[in-house]
Amino acid sequence: MGGEPRENILRLEFLNLPANIGVARNAIGTFAVQIPFTLDEVDEIRLAVSEAVTNAVVHAYPGDRGWVRVTAWFADGALELTVDDDGCGIPDLAAARAATYTTDPERMGLGFSFMDSFMDQVEVRPGPSGRGTRVLMRKRPTRKDGETASDGDGPA
Amino acid sequence: MDFIDSSGLSAILGRYRRVLELQGRMAVSGATPRVASLLELAGVTGIIPLHASLAGALAAVKERVEGGRGTSREHTPT
């Protein structure tokens, strides 16, 4: 048992296929378990990743294939996640952040609401290359005593 | 069911719309506490009741369908 790492980075790059949403969610969930997040917090992170990656998979490349990149960076006691694509971008970022905004009547437009609910901080901006979209999310574990989700679910 | 996101909620509500069109009733069973709290947060539990067991959900749906038919008959103009 070497304890949790003080700093760690995971980078994933995958095609915009729906099957990869669960892959990204589970990979980031496994990454977050080694940080002292509670099981509930790990579930919240999994949900936020799911929403951000779903947006990229569903909306970034209409009718086309493209790359989605997820980076998880744990440093200074906080987790920072970025979800990037090189796709069409979001024309009206402010409108897209509003609850129930959607371009698809079959969907609910709750993605950003869930990200806002479950992460400490959520920023959406154009991608660093000028193309696509970057979603940046931060979350700090509430547990300070080093007890991790992998140790069990709370004190006995 | 141990995970749900907004895509899953959309799928449930899409089914719900279809079930309403067919004048049926819908219930959800087997949701973990995390899934149940998300359904609550999204307001889904106000229209689709949660049940611990599949049997409970089926019984409630059957009861509501029969009750609903009775009600709609009473309100059918003659």
Side-chain angles (χ1 to χ4, degrees):
Chain A
M1 300 291 279
E4 303 83 30
R6 298 173 64 85
E7 183 172 18
N8 196 3
I9 298 178
L10 176 72
R11 302 180 74 175
L12 304 169
E13 187 166 25
F14 49 89
L15 277 178
N16 61 334
L17 298 173
N20 289 331
I21 299 169
V23 175
R25 172 171 73 231
N26 289 332
I28 300 301
T30 306
F31 182 90
V33 164
Q34 67 184 333
I35 301 165
F37 282 110
T38 64
L39 285 178
D40 277 352
E41 287 168 339
V42 170
D43 275 344
E44 291 170 357
I45 291 163
R46 278 158 43 87
L47 185 83
V49 168
S50 204
E51 300 296 346
V53 172
T54 297
N55 279 349
V57 166
V58 172
H59 300 296
Y61 306 97
D64 204 358
R65 288 279 165 257
W67 292 104
V68 179
R69 287 178 301 279
V70 178
T71 303
W73 177 37
F74 174 60
D76 300 325
L79 175 68
E80 185 171 299
L81 295 170
T82 55
V83 178
D84 290 327
D85 65 67
D86 307 314
C88 59
I90 301 175
D92 188 342
L93 280 175
R97 290 295 298 273
T100 74
Y101 173 89
T102 180
T103 53
D104 179 348
E106 290 301 308
R107 309 189 77 88
M108 294 183 72
L110 285 178
F112 281 123
S113 300
F114 284 174
M115 288 181 241
D116 285 329
S117 298
F118 297 126
M119 301 297 281
D120 297 340
Q121 198 182 353
V122 179
E123 293 170 22
V124 193
R125 45 175 89 144
S129 65
R131 279 188 310 158
T133 301
R134 161 165 287 185
V135 176
L136 194 156
M137 303 185 278
R138 292 190 187 89
K139 192 175 181 77
R140 200 169 271 277
T142 51
R143 257 192 246 190
K144 303 269 192 254
D145 57 7
E147 187 185 3
T148 67
S150 53
D151 291 337
D153 196 12
Chain B
M1 190 162 43
D2 63 4
F3 180 85
I4 192 164
D5 59 10
S6 66
S7 302
L9 289 175
S10 299
I12 289 180
L13 289 175
R15 287 292 97 183
Y16 177 70
R17 275 187 222 117
R18 182 82 185 116
V19 165
L20 276 193
E21 281 167 16
L22 298 169
Q23 304 202 321
R25 295 291 183 273
M26 190 163 156
V28 167
S29 72
T32 60
R34 160 64 53 191
V35 170
S37 70
L38 203 77
L39 292 173
E40 237 163 75
L41 182 74
V44 171
T45 50
I47 54 170
I48 306 173
L50 299 186
H51 293 271
S53 70
L54 180 60
L58 287 173
V61 164
K62 192 161 177 262
E63 192 177 300
R64 291 181 70 202
V65 166
E66 283 164 3
R69 274 183 194 143
T71 308
S72 69
R73 257 201 308 272
E74 282 159 30
H75 290 274
T76 305
T78 48

